[in-house]
Amino acid sequence: MGQRKMFAGGITAALLAGLLLIGGCGSGGAEEPEASAGAAAATAGSSAAPEADMSKPVKLKWILYGETTPDSKRVWDTFNKELESVLPNTTVEFTVIDGASYNDKTRLIVAAGEDYDIMWSSGWRGDYTGKITGGAFMPVQGLIDRYAPKLKEAIPANDWAMAELNGVLYGIPSHQTIINGKSLNIPAKYYDQVTKGVDVAAIEAMSADPKISYVDVLRKIEPMVENAKTEVKEYAAAFGTPNMINKNYEVIIAKLVGIRKGDSDRKMYSLLETEEYKSMLPLVREWQKKGYFAKDMATFAKTPTNKIAATIFYTNYSLPLKQNQTADEKLYGVGNHLKRILVTPPAHSSAEGVSSAQFINYKSKNPERAIKLLEVLNTNPKLYNLLSYGIENEHYKVNEDGTLAILSQNYKMQDWLIGNTDHSIGNANNKELIEANTKAMAAAPVSPIMGFIFNMDPVKNEIASLNALINEYQLGLDYGMYEDPMAKYAEYVAKLKTAGIDKVVQEAQTQVDNWAKIKGLK
């Protein structure tokens, strides 16, 4: 969701019904494709290949994630007319695929060898790593160097690293503020009641230090949970887990493997065997006895998030929010302003891979024109906003204060899908937001494995078995449901060992060591 997806969950009380909402892709099977002449030039980088003929008419086919709306075709026709003056002899044919079927449909497109030039993909939808390893996308560094030098300058270095695989650049990332972390989000009307007698500054100071265990932060948070339970009369059910392992670790394989934040040695750990996780279990057992969790968490875990309202949210986020954005409010239905308390240190993370990027088909007959189009959309605000928001004064307008107002839902496209969000009308006219973005991006530490993407194929059977155990044990442990949590934990760890957790950790270590060697890192 930069727009990174927002995952959610919660430490929630039965009365709050769980007061704190605590938040919270594989490999393709395409045959090695026959390279086009353009792909050969892109891979080689260049000078030996003949210059592409930019005067011939070309229609590029671009596959995007989203939804087709009543005015989509009219906006796209307008875009093509405007594009002619910037990138002559080039038109774009758009195909938009909805989220529910995006993975399956793009997989079939690739497997069938269907004709396209550009495809959107990400670490959370589209399985770009699988498509790269299956030979679907071409390396693009040579194309950028030769045909799109302004594109290289338009996107920060950290963003480019996220679009690499094994040290090779494949994607054109959509630049956006992507700083991952977790926060408590408290509706403003409850804030004074919930934080009464609580040193919020001390909590944020502890949260900013990756060396301080998240369990110590949970203990500092507990008075707020108690306040919400006793002081706030309006509440409803929420769901999630107090497991904040990603305060101390950058998660590489969900719930299983990660590296310790603040360390530079890239050592992989079994997250469920860390001292932090183990020491959380007695505490959450106490919370269960105090009534901080709903008794039937299995039911709450299935509650749709748009049916939930709670007193304190604990969510994953990408910082900071765009102007006028109320994603938490829409998602959880609280319907009022939220105040945020950081509980994990914000950081640039490699965990999910690139959050939004364009990739060029290895078989594209016109990769040079495709890279020029992507350069335009990352450097030309007018065309970028036309594709992102539609026609000005019909689908949107710019208010006198420079902010954005949506006038019609007949055209929809997310700006983070298209290109550099610094050019977005939703961001660009808000000086306060730009300053906050710049400050947050500069302050957040960068992952020592930025650009590393784990390939699960060598241990996919072990991971499947381990995930089955997670489904069996995790909910009960995270919510203190077991009378003797440490005995149940010992049983859990023994089964994790049998299922191959050590093999998975070692495979992750081998892959990251090889990646570091390719990158020339010590």
Side-chain angles (χ1 to χ4, degrees), residues 76-391:
W76 296 337
D77 288 345
T78 303
F79 173 83
N80 279 321
K81 289 177 183 178
E82 297 285 343
L83 182 64
E84 177 62 26
S85 64
V86 180
L87 187 59
N89 307 309
T90 307
T91 57
V92 183
E93 177 184 309
F94 297 92
T95 298
V96 178
I97 302 173
D98 67 272
S101 56
Y102 196 85
N103 285 356
D104 290 339
K105 286 188 176 180
T106 55
R107 190 179 299 117
L108 290 173
I109 288 170
V110 169
E114 291 186 26
D115 183 28
Y116 71 92
D117 296 285
I118 305 170
M119 180 180 288
W120 177 88
S121 191
S122 73
W124 55 273
R125 183 150 296 164
D127 185 21
Y128 78 97
T129 56
K131 290 182 173 70
I132 290 172
T133 57
F137 300 147
M138 70 168 63
V140 294
Q141 189 63 64
L143 284 171
I144 294 170
D145 291 342
R146 186 169 185 180
Y147 293 102
K150 293 180 182 178
L151 179 58
K152 185 176 182 179
E153 299 170 3
I155 299 173
N158 287 335
D159 293 26
W160 287 116
M162 294 296 290
E164 293 180 356
L165 188 64
N166 296 325
V168 178
L169 180 64
Y170 288 92
I172 311 303
S174 298
H175 174 58
Q176 54 193 307
T177 303
I178 309 172
I179 304 174
N180 304 307
K182 288 181 180 290
S183 65
L184 294 175
N185 302 297
I186 304 171
K189 65 180 180 181
Y190 300 143
Y191 187 82
D192 290 343
Q193 293 168 282
V194 171
T195 59
K196 185 175 67 175
V198 175
D199 188 344
V200 172
I203 292 174
E204 290 198 320
M206 291 176 65
S207 300
D209 186 348
K211 298 297 185 182
I212 295 178
S213 170
Y214 75 88
V215 180
D216 293 332
V217 176
L218 288 176
R219 292 191 176 100
K220 285 287 187 179
I221 289 172
E222 182 171 354
M224 288 196 286
V225 184
E226 182 64 27
N227 285 344
K229 178 184 174 184
T230 58
E231 300 289 333
V232 179
K233 295 181 180 179
E234 299 175 3
Y235 55 77
F239 67 99
T241 166
N243 185 348
M244 299 196 316
I245 194 71
N246 62 353
K247 177 192 183 304
N248 302 111
Y249 296 84
E250 180 177 344
V251 179
I252 307 304
I253 307 174
K255 300 183 180 180
L256 291 171
V257 179
I259 62 170
R260 189 184 295 275
K261 289 183 177 179
D263 290 352
S264 59
D265 59 5
R266 298 182 290 274
K267 181 180 179 181
M268 295 287 174
Y269 292 86
S270 168
L271 298 178
L272 295 170
E273 296 178 76
T274 60
E275 186 59 35
E276 289 87 352
Y277 182 75
K278 184 177 179 181
S279 64
M280 178 194 78
L281 302 179
L283 176 64
V284 294
R285 178 57 186 164
E286 293 175 18
W287 284 21
Q288 177 66 242
K289 290 179 179 179
K290 292 178 179 179
Y292 291 167
F293 300 124
K295 293 181 179 179
D296 185 4
M297 287 312 303
T299 297
F300 282 109
K302 296 177 181 178
T303 305
T305 52
N306 61 2
K307 300 296 184 183
I308 292 168
T311 306
I312 304 178
F313 294 93
Y314 171 46
T315 60
N316 287 345
Y317 61 80
S318 295
L319 267 180
L321 292 174
K322 297 195 304 181
Q323 71 164 21
N324 300 330
Q325 183 177 344
T326 54
D328 299 79
E329 297 173 31
K330 289 180 181 178
L331 188 58
Y332 306 114
V334 295
N336 64 86
H337 180 65
L338 298 170
K339 290 191 175 183
R340 176 169 283 177
I341 301 172
L342 300 188
V343 291
T344 70
H348 298 275
S349 172
S350 184
E352 288 188 359
V354 69
S355 62
S356 177
Q358 312 300 333
F359 296 85
I360 297 177
N361 185 358
Y362 199 89
K363 290 184 175 181
S364 172
K365 297 179 179 64
N366 298 286
E368 304 88 355
R369 200 73 64 91
I371 203 71
K372 287 294 292 182
L373 174 68
L374 295 174
E375 181 183 51
V376 167
L377 285 166
N378 281 276
T379 57
N380 187 305
K382 181 179 179 182
L383 286 171
Y384 167 83
N385 282 299
L386 172 59
L387 202 53
S388 297
Y389 294 107
I391 300 168

